Amino acid sequence: MVPAPMEILFVTSEVTPYSKVGGLGDVCGALPKALRTLGHRVTVISPLYSTIDPVARSLARRLLKVEVPLGGKTYTAEVYDGRTASGVDLVFLGNDELFRKVPYIYGNADTYELDAIRFGFFSRAALGWMKARDTKFDVVHAHDWTAALMVVDIKRDADLAKTPCVFTIHNLAHQGNFPKAMMETLGLPWDLFKADGLEFYEQMNLLKGAIANADAITTVSPTYAREIRTKDGGHGLDGVLRQYESKLHGILNGVDAALWNSATDTEIPSRFDPINITGKARCKTELQRELGLPMRPEVPVIGTVGRVVSQKGYDLLAKAAPQLLKNDVQLVLLGDGDAEILETFAELSHRWPDRVQVRNGFNESLAHRIIAGSDLFLVPSRFEPCGLTQMYAHRYGTLPIVRRTGGLADTVVDCDAHLETGTGFVFDDATPQALLGAVQRGLSAYAAGPVFDGLRKRVMRIDHSWERSARLYDGIYKELVPTA
Ligand code: ADP
Ligand code: GLC
């Protein structure tokens, strides 16, 4: 039987390679591609941030403009569209005041309320664009709080209410929680401000609104789908998620093999594959050279790349570092975020310049070289909905050291003492001691030489492709679209 193709709309505030803060961008770049492979037509709609140059990206400006009244003002969305090489349609919504003149993707605590307007505008403009379109979508798939209003709006729209909506929670810590006056600014009727709607401790919670209204909710790993229904992992929404658990699914993210592939990656100095990994040694020495570390092939390099926020457990690493650095190791960190934690790493680097190098900022290209050039890769997260870098590490024969939480627990299997089984080094407690224990096991494994090389080759062969997960999403869409 030939499967029926569906028309799917992705609504997201990040899409790699156009905009990316973290994994949301990677997922919304890769999953639509995988769904295309299954025969569906996918359109991704996203904001046109100041960093996206429509000309360089071959995006065409359309005559259509969408007017969005918000808080007594009318904002106009300019519509740009394009198509990726893999046949995914793209729509970007621009506005000078809310996007072009704003130098960031997400604001900080001081500018957070403006984000309610920025992403409220984005969701409303996406809805307006959808209504102006000739053909209807079979499914709308919205991601995270920044697109949550779209789900709420669709379900209260007379023409669109029957459109199946899938909502994916990439990170329950970010909920779009605002003072309740924002209900009026966003033009939301007060009857939605109820415990079974957007009300959350007397505040307006957009994520909660999407959870209540979506036809299906997904999150990005089976373990995280369980954790968010518990008090410890629920960020205050565990009760709501238990209430809706019959429509909640945990589906693991995958790796975009076109972007994260040691055999084809043009960001790294030498390519390699599981049959011949000799190129990896060059990636390591070149990384050492690039970062000003002694070019010693024998010393283990421990890398890490990520947002420096409490979620990621870098404070544990900072506390463990003085002990860790008593080993003959090199520690490399690329990250952006918490100034205090970054300062601690800067001090460590100052004290041990031959052992620690830190790069502060977002650097996609360097992220590839760190993942390829390291021997071990740290992801010490307190919680991790899925996590992508540990899977990228696998693809480059770099052994991840992770805490057993969320998607890290689902994607890394702890190695046994003889390294016969396992795909990394896993620790349980969110303490510097537990982290150190796993690092020491990683370092002992590294010292095992050829056995460690065998382990590298084994993890490079793990199937982290999107295909399986795309089929699971496809299954959810099909359940919601009876004729598909
Ligand atoms: P999260 O979405 O919570 O940030 P993920 O592991 O899912 O975590 O995804 C993080 C993505 O962002 C990966 O592609 C990672 O390489 C990238 N990334 C994070 N910080 C940086 C940085 N400072 N420079 C370059 N890439 C980064
Ligand atoms: C979030 C999570 C991360 C996940 C990513 C993509 O930002 O923190 O664990 O991999 O979304 O789903």
Side-chain angles (χ1 to χ4, degrees):
M1 195 182 81
V2 182
M6 284 182 257
E7 281 255 8
I8 303 159
L9 178 65
F10 264 52
V11 190
T12 173
S13 54
E14 294 175 40
V15 52
T16 298
Y18 304 89
S19 52
K20 166 170 168 179
V21 171
L24 172 64
D26 286 2
V27 171
C28 290
L31 175 56
K33 227 192 294 189
L35 292 167
R36 271 294 295 150
T37 312
L38 297 183
H40 301 305
R41 288 199 54 187
V42 190
T43 303
V44 180
I45 194 161
S46 201
L48 187 80
Y49 299 106
S50 53
T51 43
I52 306 175
D53 176 357
V55 178
R57 293 290 187 182
S58 307
L59 302 172
R61 174 137 181 207
R62 295 293 156 205
L63 286 177
L64 173 73
K65 286 189 175 169
V66 186
E67 308 264 282
V68 180
L70 275 185
K73 245 175 112 165
T74 298
Y75 297 88
T76 304
E78 297 142 13
V79 179
Y80 291 79
D81 62 18
R83 181 170 254 238
T84 69
S86 41
V88 173
D89 289 317
L90 299 166
V91 177
F92 289 97
L93 300 172
N95 177 274
D96 275 356
E97 185 182 339
L98 300 178
F99 292 115
R100 194 163 303 144
K101 289 188 181 151
V102 178
Y104 51 76
I105 292 187
Y106 307 121
N108 55 26
D110 297 336
T111 55
Y112 190 55
E113 283 194 25
L114 178 61
D115 281 0
I117 311 279
R118 294 171 70 232
F119 295 106
F121 161 80
F122 163 60
S123 285
R124 283 281 155 73
L127 187 80
W129 173 84
M130 196 177 147
K131 279 168 141 319
R133 195 175 181 259
D134 296 335
T135 9
K136 282 197 169 158
F137 285 101
D138 295 308
V139 179
V140 170
H141 189 160
H143 299 261
D144 273 355
W145 81 261
T146 43
L149 184 63
M150 180 86 168
V151 176
V152 175
D153 278 347
I154 287 179
K155 292 302 170 187
R156 63 192 188 95
D157 185 290
D159 300 331
L160 297 175
K162 290 214 167 77
T163 309
C165 289
V166 176
F167 182 71
T168 297
I169 300 168
H170 292 264
N171 194 332
L172 193 62
H174 305 292
Q175 301 181 358
N177 236 320
F178 297 98
K180 66 179 177 190
M182 198 58 84
M183 290 288 290
E184 280 184 359
T185 311
L186 296 181
L188 289 168
W190 283 106
D191 62 359
L192 295 180
F193 195 72
K194 55 183 179 187
D196 196 19
L198 288 108
E199 191 272 335
F200 184 65
Y201 297 100
E202 272 300 301
Q203 289 221 311
M204 179 197 77
N205 183 315
L206 290 170
L207 193 88
K208 192 177 172 203
I211 291 171
N213 282 282
D215 299 286
I217 310 160
T218 71
T219 190
V220 289
S221 70
T223 295
Y224 195 60
R226 283 193 297 278
E227 289 171 348
I228 57 176
R229 282 177 281 160
T230 66
K231 198 165 181 310
D232 281 351
H235 299 271
L237 288 177
D238 45 300
V240 183
L241 288 158
R242 282 195 298 275
Q243 182 189 341
Y244 290 109
E245 64 191 351
S246 62
K247 62 174 181 180
L248 172 65
H249 312 259
I251 303 178
L252 263 187
N253 290 332
V255 173
D256 186 339
L259 298 178
W260 296 94
N261 186 340
S262 62
T264 56
D265 195 331
T266 51
E267 304 288 355
I268 62 176
S270 182
R271 277 144 290 283
F272 54 98
D273 58 46
I275 294 165
N276 183 351
I277 59 164
T278 48
K280 185 164 171 76
R282 177 143 175 255
C283 291
K284 175 168 167 177
T285 43
E286 288 300 324
L287 177 69
Q288 291 170 323
R289 185 206 305 273
E290 180 176 355
L291 299 180
L293 287 164
M295 290 166 68
R296 294 173 51 212
E298 74 287 1
V299 65
V301 172
I302 308 176
T304 184
V305 176
R307 293 179 299 115
V308 182
V309 293
S310 86
Q311 173 194 343
K312 300 287 174 182
Y314 284 124
D315 52 321
L316 302 175
L317 176 59
K319 288 204 184 88
Q323 184 69 23
L324 193 163
L325 294 166
K326 288 187 179 155
N327 295 284
D328 187 14
V329 291
Q330 295 179 348
L331 178 66
V332 169
L333 178 145
L334 167 64
D336 207 0
D338 189 293
E340 215 172 295
I341 303 177
L342 282 163
E343 181 51 33
T344 316
F345 280 101
E347 281 162 19
L348 288 167
S349 170
H350 194 68
R351 228 167 104 197
W352 284 287
D354 284 356
R355 291 205 172 162
V356 186
Q357 281 300 323
V358 180
R359 293 295 177 271
N360 181 359
F362 189 91
N363 186 336
E364 181 77 34
S365 171
L366 179 58
H368 283 248
R369 288 192 294 284
I370 291 177
I371 290 172
S374 300
D375 300 299
L376 298 161
F377 191 86
L378 265 168
V379 194
S381 308
R382 287 209 159 68
F383 71 93
E384 195 61 75
C386 180
L388 295 169
T389 53
Q390 78 283 7
M391 294 192 272
Y392 298 163
H394 277 157
R395 302 270 307 161
Y396 290 76
T398 305
L399 270 293
I401 301 169
V402 307
R403 197 169 97 73
R404 197 188 314 275
T405 180
L408 299 174
D410 293 341
T411 53
V412 182
V413 178
D414 198 22
C415 281
D416 68 294
H418 306 289
L419 308 180
E420 280 161 5
T421 60
T423 62
F425 304 93
V426 185
F427 63 98
D428 287 283
D429 297 340
T431 60
Q433 291 71 24
L435 187 158
L436 273 171
V439 172
Q440 288 301 347
R441 288 198 295 127
L443 292 175
S444 308
Y446 176 81
V451 182
F452 191 72
D453 276 346
L455 186 52
R456 290 190 199 276
K457 291 179 181 175
R458 185 163 82 224
V459 301
M460 288 180 81
R461 290 197 169 92
I462 300 171
D463 180 7
H464 285 307
S465 66
W466 265 105
E467 195 193 329
R468 193 175 156 272
S469 298
R471 284 188 193 283
L472 295 174
Y473 282 106
D474 176 65
I476 291 174
Y477 301 153
K478 282 193 178 124
E479 264 180 36
L480 303 175
V481 185
T483 52

